[in-house]
Amino acid sequence: VYNPFSVLHALSQQAFKNFWFQSGTPNFLIKELDKEYRKEERRNVELVNPSHYEISEDALGIFEIGATPLPVLMFQTGYLTITSYLPEKNLFVLGYPNFEVKTSFQQHILTILAHLDIVNIKTISSNLLYALNKKDIPEIISQLKQLFTRVPYQLHVKEEKFYHALLQVAFG
């Protein structure tokens, strides 16, 4: 995904960083993600890891406020892109366009699931990575406890894949 803001910042700072997060995150998308996840009947891991949405061409053209499905909204805001086409089903497969977008999206999902702000999410993720690299098991456990104890009871899914998804997002 070409983002002029990201390119200009990378050139001016002479560093590759996640500038997408600063420029490519519409607040309404985060609110829709939060609203969608809180619908108990829809609570699933696909929202946490939407790497293989299959969708029709007609659906990609929906622009009605309040009636746009979440994968379409994510496509329209640049968080998903067409990764392949399934001619036998006449469907497009959507996935993340790049690692930077995937990381930004997963951090937003983690803010929703763990009820933490983005600064705390980044701190926990960084501390987890550091502890893993140092093979510091007590610190890893401490950081994971900080993460898991923040997820409200009402949001827990009684399936192991929920916790796998949380870990995947935390390790980004």
Side-chain angles (χ1 to χ4, degrees), residues 91-156:
L91 295 174
F92 292 98
V93 178
L94 301 180
Y96 294 113
N98 58 44
F99 183 74
E100 187 179 19
V101 172
K102 178 181 179 180
T103 301
S104 294
F105 180 77
Q106 288 183 338
Q107 288 174 349
H108 283 303
I109 288 294
L110 202 51
T111 64
I112 292 167
L113 295 178
H115 285 253
L116 289 168
D117 59 46
I118 198 65
V119 172
N120 285 323
I121 293 297
K122 287 185 177 226
T123 301
I124 289 173
S125 292
S126 294
N127 288 341
L128 268 171
L129 182 60
Y130 181 77
L132 281 169
N133 287 332
K134 294 289 185 184
K135 298 180 174 107
D136 184 350
I137 302 302
E139 182 61 21
I140 293 169
I141 291 169
S142 172
Q143 293 300 316
L144 289 176
K145 282 182 179 178
Q146 285 185 45
L147 177 64
F148 287 137
T149 58
R150 296 295 194 126
V151 178
Y153 175 76
Q154 303 89 327
L155 295 184
H156 282 272

Side-chain angles (χ1 to χ4, degrees), residues 35-48 53 69-71 157:
K35 185 171 66 175
E36 187 73 17
Y37 186 76
R38 293 182 193 291
K39 292 180 186 175
E40 263 187 71
E41 70 276 5
R42 300 280 312 248
R43 198 172 296 151
N44 59 44
V45 179
E46 283 182 13
L47 181 59
V48 178
Y53 279 124
L70 189 57
V157 176

Side-chain angles (χ1 to χ4, degrees), residues 39-89:
K39 292 180 186 175
E40 263 187 71
E41 70 276 5
R42 300 280 312 248
R43 198 172 296 151
N44 59 44
V45 179
E46 283 182 13
L47 181 59
V48 178
N49 188 16
S51 58
H52 290 94
Y53 279 124
E54 294 179 3
I55 199 157
S56 70
E57 182 178 357
D58 292 339
L60 290 176
I62 297 173
F63 291 99
E64 296 175 35
I65 296 174
T68 306
L70 189 57
V72 173
L73 189 57
M74 290 171 63
F75 172 76
Q76 292 170 354
T77 56
Y79 276 91
L80 294 177
T81 192
I82 296 171
T83 58
S84 64
Y85 176 68
L86 305 171
E88 65 279 0
K89 293 182 177 181

Side-chain angles (χ1 to χ4, degrees), residues 21-44:
F21 193 82
Q22 299 169 13
S23 67
T25 307
N27 288 333
F28 73 91
L29 177 60
I30 302 308
K31 289 177 185 172
E32 285 299 312
L33 288 168
D34 189 31
K35 185 171 66 175
E36 187 73 17
Y37 186 76
R38 293 182 193 291
K39 292 180 186 175
E40 263 187 71
E41 70 276 5
R42 300 280 312 248
R43 198 172 296 151
N44 59 44

